[in-house]
Amino acid sequence: MPTGICPECDAEVHVDLDMDKGDIISCEECGAELEIVGLDPVELDLVEEGDEEYDFEEDEDEEDYDY
């Protein structure tokens, strides 16, 4: 199994063979979210705030207000 180095804590992070560039994984040591930016060799980069893809479905608890 290929490994990369976490840029946050320098731990080895295992990357599944079926992963692709752009996939997001978590460091098992520090919990940082990492983006795969290279595959040969494996290169990882921290996911910055706002870079993640969000599910924009409305929460069921939200109410619509008329102003």
Side-chain angles (χ1 to χ4, degrees), residues 4-59:
I5 302 297
C6 175
E8 184 73 16
C9 70
D10 294 326
E12 282 191 7
V13 179
H14 297 280
V15 177
D16 292 333
L17 293 174
D18 62 345
M19 302 293 279
D20 289 320
K21 286 174 76 172
D23 287 348
I24 305 296
I25 59 175
S26 294
C27 175
E28 294 177 11
E29 293 294 318
C30 70
E33 290 196 346
L34 307 170
E35 179 180 2
I36 300 171
V37 295
L39 293 173
D40 191 20
V42 174
E43 293 181 47
L44 304 171
D45 196 9
L46 288 170
V47 173
E48 300 292 329
E49 288 287 322
D51 285 354
E52 303 160 359
E53 292 183 22
Y54 290 98
D55 185 10
F56 287 105
E57 291 181 25
E58 289 186 26
D59 291 337

